[in-house]
Amino acid sequence: MKRLRTILIGTLLAVVGGLCAAPAWAADNDAAPTPEATEEANPVDVKEIVFGHVGDAYEWHITTIGDTHVTIPLPIIVHSSTTGWHAFLSSRLEENGGTYEGFSIAPEGSPYEGKLMERDASGNEVRPLDISITKVTLALFINSLLLVIIVLSVARWYRKHPKETGAPGGFVGLMEMLIMMVNDDVIKSCVGPNYRKFAPYLLTAFFFIFINNLMGLIPVFPGGASVTGNIAITFVLALCTFFAINIFGTKHYWKDIFWPEVPWWLKVPVPMMPFIELFGIFTKPFALMIRLFANMLAGHVAMLILASLVFITASMGPALNGSLTVASVLFNIFMNALELLVAFIQAYVFTMLSAVFIGLAQERKAE
């Protein structure tokens, strides 16, 4: 499935590149186009659409009605080394020509592109301490609140319905099925006898990733933000697994790292195998971080490119535009169905690999 998605994304990028370049090839024998003609021939900035959606921002763009952009301004909270703390809404930047209280969004080409920055006495760009509530942060709060509401509502149902009343149905039954599946088939079998200690974290990780993946597929507010497609989020998740592995690792786990059972010449005088095992401590959570980030980001990019085909081909004639519009809609339906499956699979795989790594650190050798 991963290879299929990689091939599909590569093909889509090639098609989009060819379609974007087609007007330029057709105009080789004509006079140089005017700026107005160029703007009309290429009305869609695919890069801005793709990176504007998957990237973070200091405001949440909802929709555009005519020339009016409907956005939710978010609070900017920064600390400058010279002027101290500042707190204001991101709409202040637009109202004051892009600069407010000495802060502005770094332009394209800047090392801090898209981030809030200020200028020092020499005119150099400086990044303040930035703890603003950005689009991804707000989506993280909303999705986490939704997860808490779901868990508490399920727990409330169980408090009101004793076990003797029968099995639950509907949404509560679905949640019970998912919890039992992850707990029995993944956590219990991979971690081992001490699975109860790690079950709360692993279940939380599964449902947190699953909820955020699903919310990222919803195209309207409060969905649409690619939370798990942000590497900072996947980094924190992988860091939690890293701590669970190494803080609760047994003495046998650490012995296998610093003094593995291999021929002595692989350990002394050059500690080759201990170095490799120590390096593996960090590669495991790194693989978890990159796997989740790359898979979710690739899915969002593929769907955005497919949607952009409709607007890219608008100036190429009704026949080409109509046929590619139909193809774009059909492929988008397929990709959305695929991403629903991927949303579950990536949550499952992250939880399973975390459970496997934790179980390896808990395993005791037979005496």
Side-chain angles (χ1 to χ4, degrees):
M1 182 177 295
K2 184 177 180 181
R3 181 177 298 177
L4 173 63
R5 180 163 36 180
T6 303
I7 294 172
L8 180 60
I9 292 173
T11 304
L12 290 173
L13 288 171
V15 171
V16 172
L19 291 172
C20 291
W25 296 338
D28 280 346
N29 297 325
D30 299 332
T34 62
E36 293 78 6
T38 302
E39 183 178 353
E40 184 178 355
N42 299 281
V44 178
D45 188 344
V46 178
K47 178 182 176 182
E48 181 180 354
I49 292 175
V50 172
F51 289 99
H53 176 81
V54 301
D56 205 356
Y58 291 98
E59 61 182 11
W60 196 318
H61 182 265
I62 305 298
T63 187
T64 300
I65 303 175
D67 296 329
T68 304
H69 297 285
V70 180
T71 60
I72 298 177
L74 300 176
I76 292 177
I77 307 170
V78 291
H79 180 269
S80 170
S81 57
T82 56
T83 58
W85 288 98
H86 298 260
F88 53 90
L89 289 177
S90 58
S91 56
R92 294 288 188 182
L93 294 171
E94 185 177 355
E95 294 169 358
N96 293 273
T99 302
Y100 185 74
E101 295 185 356
F103 300 97
S104 60
I105 305 296
E108 185 176 356
S110 169
Y112 309 119
E113 180 179 346
K115 301 297 183 181
L116 207 67
M117 62 90 180
E118 60 179 339
R119 295 190 179 275
D120 58 15
S122 303
N124 300 317
E125 295 180 353
V126 178
R127 277 278 288 155
L129 174 63
D130 192 348
I131 56 172
S132 304
I133 307 298
T134 60
K135 176 183 175 180
V136 170
T137 307
L138 179 59
L140 182 63
F141 289 160
I142 293 173
N143 299 346
S144 299
L145 178 62
L146 177 61
L147 179 58
V148 170
I149 293 173
I150 290 173
V151 172
L152 292 181
S153 63
V154 172
R156 183 182 180 185
W157 187 95
Y158 278 101
R159 284 197 301 269
K160 291 184 175 182
H161 298 78
K163 189 165 48 177
E164 295 77 15
T165 60
F171 181 75
V172 177
L174 174 64
M175 287 295 296
E176 179 179 305
M177 180 191 70
L178 289 174
I179 292 171
M180 296 304 294
M181 179 198 67
V182 175
N183 185 73
D184 295 345
D185 298 341
V186 177
I187 301 174
K188 188 175 181 179
S189 60
C190 293
V191 176
N194 295 327
Y195 77 95
R196 291 183 182 275
K197 181 191 299 183
F198 304 98
Y201 162 66
L202 292 171
L203 283 168
T204 302
F206 172 81
F207 284 104
F208 175 82
I209 296 171
F210 190 35
I211 288 292
N212 279 284
N213 289 350
L214 291 179
M215 291 295 290
L217 298 177
I218 300 174
V220 295
F221 181 84
S226 182
V227 176
T228 47
N230 187 299
I231 199 167
I233 303 298
T234 59
F235 169 77
V236 173
L237 288 170
L239 192 63
C240 292
T241 297
F242 173 80
F243 288 143
I245 294 170
N246 295 287
I247 291 177
F248 299 99
T250 64
K251 62 180 181 180
H252 300 283
Y253 167 72
W254 290 108
K255 176 183 176 297
D256 288 340
I257 291 175
F258 292 107
W259 197 256
E261 293 185 357
V262 295
W264 65 268
W265 48 270
L266 291 175
K267 296 182 284 189
V268 290
V270 179
M272 181 184 302
M273 286 305 298
F275 175 77
I276 293 174
E277 293 291 341
L278 186 62
F279 185 70
I281 292 177
F282 302 98
T283 56
K284 291 173 183 176
F286 180 79
L288 288 176
M289 174 185 71
I290 296 299
R291 178 189 295 272
L292 179 59
F293 161 72
N295 277 281
M296 299 315 301
L297 182 66
H300 283 276
V301 170
M303 289 189 290
L304 289 168
I305 292 174
L306 283 168
S308 299
L309 284 175
V310 179
F311 307 101
I312 292 173
T313 59
S315 61
M316 298 181 186
L320 183 59
N321 180 241
S323 59
L324 284 177
T325 297
V326 173
S328 173
V329 171
L330 293 177
F331 268 105
N332 248 320
I333 294 173
F334 169 74
M335 284 299 298
N336 272 281
L338 181 63
E339 283 301 303
L340 282 173
L341 180 61
V342 170
F344 171 80
I345 290 176
Q346 289 305 315
Y348 184 89
V349 169
F350 185 96
T351 307
M352 181 185 67
L353 291 177
S354 296
V356 168
F357 296 153
I358 292 172
L360 290 174
Q362 296 294 307
E363 184 179 6
R364 288 181 176 272
K365 298 182 180 180
E367 297 295 340

